Amino acid sequence: MKFHFKNGYLYCEKLKIKDIQDQIPESPFYLYSLTQITENYNAYQTALEGVESIIGYAIKANNNLTILKHLRELGSGAVLVSGNELRIALAAGFDPKRTVLNGNGKTISELILAAEHEVMINIDSEFDLEHVREAAREIGKVANVLIRINPDVDPEVHAYVSTGIKNSKFGIRNERLHWFLDQIQAEPLLNLVGVHCHLGSTIKKVRIFRDATILMMEFIETIRDAGFDLRYLNIGGGLGIDYEKTGESIPTPSHLIDSIRDVLTDDIGLIIEPGRSIIGNSSVLVNRVTGVKTNGNKHFIVIDGSMAELIRPSLYDAYQHIDFIEPVDGEVITYDVVGPVCESADFLGKDRALPTPHEGAGLVVYDAGAYCYAMSSNYNLKMRPPEYLVDNDRLTQIRRSETFEEHMRLFEV
Ligand code: LLP
């Protein structure tokens, strides 16, 4: 693990996080381990040896430009959900032909941008097909498309991150598949290259991916029988990570790929869209304790980080592990770790047995790499924090904090 304790202090690679905290003016801040990101990416690459494939990193999980450039240098493709994600992917140097644009509400201008750059586009509905066709005609260029199928496999995760079940807003109605095929066949500017599904996120059972892959291979057969030459099966992302740190064994990319290897055939390339499992455990949010209080029944550690910087616990009741970065020897009490935001939903952790800290003590929320900075807000006019990266014993800033002055400029209209 790139985050580890030595003599009571938490380290990120070779650097003591307390020393970093003492030299950085802002709090909280995000801290990333470059080596962890590299290892996570390499785990997919190793798992996929012998399989023709594209690893499409899901930019929505974390869109820091330095991190994107690093993943691109490692050989990653990218998975996009907006025109701006395509723009940042281009800025990071990704080959757009190895990217996929997903989404149930892509706008015509986003589709035109994607088609211009030869991004593969996922068709999500009847109107989406019409919009892709319109975009392709507008620029007079063939659009490479996939059909997003809803395999109706339950990923057994929180309802908010479950996407591949029948009642989801994503994907086509499978009974209408032949309508989509007819439309594509009749339009020379639409080139069907594959099928896509995404089951959900934080998935901990590879059996779920296997079930979906078997179903998707049946769809591929049906579509090939209708006369299409499909190149890709895109099985989406969704592999979970070890948020709880209880010693539970979490499947690795190798477990995932090995579980579907015998279902795949040589004549189909695999696209996989991992976000969380590439970036999630590479970062911690580093905070300072503002104070400790009690209401008689409950005890609270109040920190300077909040739901504005890290909303997953508030939004999904998600567990993210919390620890001090330095020795703290006060009495161990069951605490809620909360932020300063004026809202009861503002908590980072509930019912945690932690030693009572002194004011100013450093506290981290682990596994903050995926869907944390990316989902941050300015609620209560908190400015987004800076991001720092550790590579072995070297610290670099990879995003500066937002400032109040920048914020005020938005009103200069
Ligand atoms: N592909 C598609 C089509 C997706 O919708 C997603 C995530 C991914 C790939 C990447 O999934 P991952 O490997 O990261 O699980 N904000 C939530 C997660 C929402 C994920 C939505 N889709 C969270 O913080 O848990």
Side-chain angles (χ1 to χ4, degrees):
M1 281 307 290
K2 303 307 159 227
F3 294 97
H4 59 276
F5 277 98
K6 203 158 76 185
N7 302 327
Y9 286 92
L10 185 64
Y11 281 69
C12 177
E13 305 202 19
K14 295 263 172 59
L15 299 183
K16 193 189 264 188
I17 299 182
K18 189 68 193 168
D19 292 343
I20 299 175
Q21 186 177 46
D22 286 342
Q23 87 190 56
I24 287 177
E26 306 94 342
S27 183
F29 61 90
Y30 279 95
L31 186 68
Y32 295 84
S33 155
L34 187 72
T35 313
Q36 186 67 60
I37 300 171
T38 308
E39 279 182 15
N40 294 344
Y41 180 82
N42 287 344
Y44 272 99
Q45 209 163 40
T46 308
L48 284 161
E49 257 163 41
V51 181
E52 193 216 318
S53 56
I54 297 177
I55 302 170
Y57 166 66
I59 288 187
K60 67 199 291 188
N62 187 310
N63 57 38
N64 184 288
L65 186 58
T66 303
I67 292 172
L68 296 183
K69 284 181 179 163
H70 180 66
L71 287 167
R72 189 260 300 156
E73 279 163 15
L74 292 173
S76 190
V79 165
L80 320 164
V81 290
S82 70
N84 284 342
E85 284 196 358
L86 170 53
R87 289 185 181 98
I88 204 165
L90 293 170
F94 282 97
D95 173 2
K97 295 193 190 79
R98 299 181 72 239
T99 68
V100 181
L101 177 64
N102 285 314
N104 65 316
K106 304 181 280 296
T107 63
I108 302 279
S109 60
E110 289 175 316
L111 291 168
I112 289 177
L113 186 69
E116 272 170 349
H117 289 279
E118 296 177 40
V119 169
M120 290 183 266
I121 301 172
N122 249 332
I123 292 180
D124 185 86
S125 63
E126 287 85 347
F127 79 75
D128 197 41
L129 181 138
E130 278 156 25
H131 291 178
V132 179
R133 184 165 50 201
E134 203 176 315
R137 285 182 182 166
E138 170 84 23
I139 60 168
K141 202 165 165 176
V142 173
N144 290 324
V145 298
L146 292 88
I147 299 179
R148 178 159 179 170
I149 287 174
N150 196 328
D152 198 19
V153 170
D154 181 1
E156 301 172 26
V157 295
H158 190 284
Y160 288 9
V161 293
S162 170
T163 45
I165 48 171
K166 193 158 171 48
N167 282 341
S168 156
K169 71 168 181 172
F170 299 102
I172 66 156
R173 228 175 90 200
N174 298 345
E175 305 89 83
R176 299 269 291 155
L177 177 64
H178 284 280
W179 180 87
F180 284 87
L181 296 179
D182 291 345
Q183 296 290 314
I184 294 170
Q185 216 141 33
E187 174 53 67
L189 291 180
L190 294 180
N191 177 32
L192 185 64
V193 296
V195 287
H196 172 261
C197 69
H198 173 74
L199 307 172
S201 214
T202 69
I203 300 173
K204 289 190 186 166
K205 293 178 185 152
V206 292
R207 170 184 52 77
I208 290 164
F209 289 100
R210 183 178 170 83
D211 290 351
T213 306
I214 292 170
L215 280 163
M216 292 299 283
M217 289 304 287
E218 286 167 12
F219 278 107
I220 287 178
E221 219 175 288
T222 309
I223 296 170
R224 282 187 166 157
D225 286 348
F228 291 90
D229 180 22
L230 293 188
R231 278 174 55 201
Y232 292 115
L233 165 59
N234 183 339
I235 57 163
L239 192 62
I241 61 170
D242 183 17
Y243 282 114
E244 291 83 7
K245 318 222 176 289
T246 54
E248 174 196 13
S249 83
I250 307 283
T252 62
S254 285
H255 291 131
L256 195 177
I257 301 303
D258 288 347
S259 79
I260 62 170
R261 208 177 268 276
D262 66 310
V263 186
L264 300 172
T265 50
D266 286 344
D267 53 359
I268 198 93
L270 186 71
I271 301 178
I272 185 155
E273 306 184 329
R276 189 186 320 267
S277 49
I278 285 191
I279 200 68
N281 69 353
S282 74
S283 176
V284 292
L285 178 68
V286 187
N287 310 267
R288 274 188 200 274
V289 173
T290 307
V292 174
K293 65 184 276 187
T294 179
N295 62 13
N297 291 322
K298 282 190 86 71
H299 302 276
F300 300 94
I301 297 174
V302 184
I303 59 173
D304 48 11
S306 70
M307 68 187 291
E309 294 80 20
L310 196 152
I311 201 177
R312 299 190 68 258
S314 309
L315 188 58
Y316 311 117
D317 217 4
Y319 180 94
Q320 292 193 215
H321 200 63
I322 288 176
D323 237 327
F324 293 107
I325 63 174
E326 58 192 301
V328 169
D329 49 20
E331 186 192 355
V332 175
I333 298 181
T334 302
Y335 282 109
D336 281 5
V337 179
V338 301
V341 164
C342 197
E343 167 138 351
S344 295
D346 178 31
F347 62 91
L348 285 308
K350 285 204 159 157
D351 298 326
R352 307 292 174 92
L354 289 166
T356 302
H358 52 277
E359 286 184 12
L363 175 149
V364 285
V365 181
Y366 282 94
D367 301 311
Y371 307 108
C372 290
Y373 190 103
M375 293 177 74
S376 62
S377 76
N378 292 129
Y379 192 34
N380 283 208
L381 271 194
K382 291 192 94 210
M383 294 297 113
R384 286 187 178 78
E387 294 180 300
Y388 289 84
L389 178 72
V390 175
D391 179 11
N392 196 23
D393 58 358
R394 209 160 53 98
L395 178 72
T396 41
Q397 186 167 12
I398 56 169
R399 172 144 42 185
R400 60 181 177 77
S401 56
E402 291 179 347
T403 66
F404 180 67
E405 291 67 33
E406 272 169 352
H407 185 80
M408 290 307 283
R409 281 206 286 277
L410 298 173
F411 301 106
E412 291 168 13
V413 286

